[in-house]
Amino acid sequence: NRVGIIGDIPIFVAMDSSDVWSQQHLFELDANGDPTVVAGVPPDYFAVLGQRWGNPLYRWEEHRRTGYEWWVRRFNRMLQLCDMVRIDHFRGFEAYWEIPAEMPDARIGRWQPGPRDGFFQALQQALGERLPVIAEDLGFITDEVRGLRDRFGFPGMKIIQFGFGEGSSVSLDLPHNYPVHCIAYTGTHDNDTTVG
């Protein structure tokens, strides 16, 4: 048996990152380099205003034109450091919430189609058929997101703490209800520690 290291790759990058500064043509920016639309999620039971993360969104057509070269380099670098990569906010590759940059919160926005299968097919061509990816599939997940995950054979995530407390006996986060193909975590950055 061997120990493997799981890395983490967020779907979005920070506005003040070197990536956005040096590759402005890959992001939804205006002539001054300011974002025209930003990332987030719509209102839900956790946040009545939604979550306005403020990350610039991608010009997916430009990424597609380059064969997703920037993403291939990003994954290559991560896989030099770890054995598997958890993609944070995996659902954004199927559809993402686009918020006009001038909006103070995420109530006003719209779902936009992500790059979907073509993105992961490009990664497969560059990195191999069996991508070492874990899909963070928590929150509002549609059948389309589950289908994208399953077409590429990515394990999803289960959170042990979500299965207990007020959870029902049929909760898919209870260990005895897990599907075979998943990765279990005790909690996420939104949870207290298990001891807590």
Side-chain angles (χ1 to χ4, degrees):
N1 294 341
R2 70 183 194 91
V3 174
I5 297 175
I6 297 175
D8 199 80
I9 193 164
I11 186 175
F12 301 119
V13 295
M15 181 60 207
D16 60 357
S17 67
S18 61
D19 290 291
V20 175
W21 178 79
S22 66
Q23 305 286 318
Q24 293 187 22
H25 64 289
L26 296 177
F27 299 89
E28 294 288 355
L29 307 175
D30 64 18
N32 295 320
D34 295 317
T36 56
V37 289
V38 295
V41 290
D44 60 17
Y45 48 86
F46 289 119
V48 294
L49 301 179
Q51 296 177 41
R52 184 189 184 280
W53 300 329
N55 309 81
L57 292 172
Y58 298 108
R59 288 187 175 132
W60 282 118
E61 198 52 51
E62 184 65 18
H63 285 271
R64 189 176 297 111
R65 189 189 66 73
T66 66
Y68 300 98
E69 187 265 340
W70 179 83
W71 278 96
V72 169
R73 284 187 290 121
R74 195 173 181 209
F75 269 85
N76 262 324
R77 180 63 181 135
M78 283 300 298
L79 292 171
Q80 291 172 2
L81 303 173
C82 56
D83 301 291
M84 290 190 81
V85 178
R86 184 192 81 104
I87 299 178
D88 187 54
H89 199 60
F90 176 82
R91 76 115 40 249
F93 288 100
E94 199 284 320
Y96 57 91
W97 189 245
E98 177 187 272
I99 305 163
E102 66 275 10
M103 291 295 113
D105 58 53
R107 288 177 293 177
I108 296 177
R110 62 183 180 165
W111 287 107
Q112 292 281 59
R116 301 178 177 163
D117 292 63
F119 173 81
F120 293 106
Q121 289 164 349
L123 286 183
Q124 284 178 324
Q125 288 177 349
L127 304 172
E129 193 69 24
R130 296 282 306 156
L131 295 173
V133 163
I134 299 166
E136 184 269 305
D137 55 354
L138 306 175
F140 176 66
I141 302 301
T142 63
D143 288 341
E144 291 79 12
V145 176
R146 283 186 282 275
L148 180 63
R149 178 198 65 199
D150 295 345
R151 281 192 297 281
F152 290 91
F154 301 148
M157 289 177 57
K158 297 297 172 202
I159 307 301
I160 293 172
Q161 287 187 23
F162 290 173
F164 296 94
E166 296 179 15
S168 73
S169 62
V170 297
S171 169
L172 293 178
D173 286 295
L174 283 171
H176 59 274
N177 293 333
Y178 288 172
V180 172
H181 197 54
C182 71
I183 306 293
Y185 290 76
T186 53
T188 73
H189 59 272
D190 294 318
N191 294 74
D192 193 356
T193 63
T194 301
V195 170

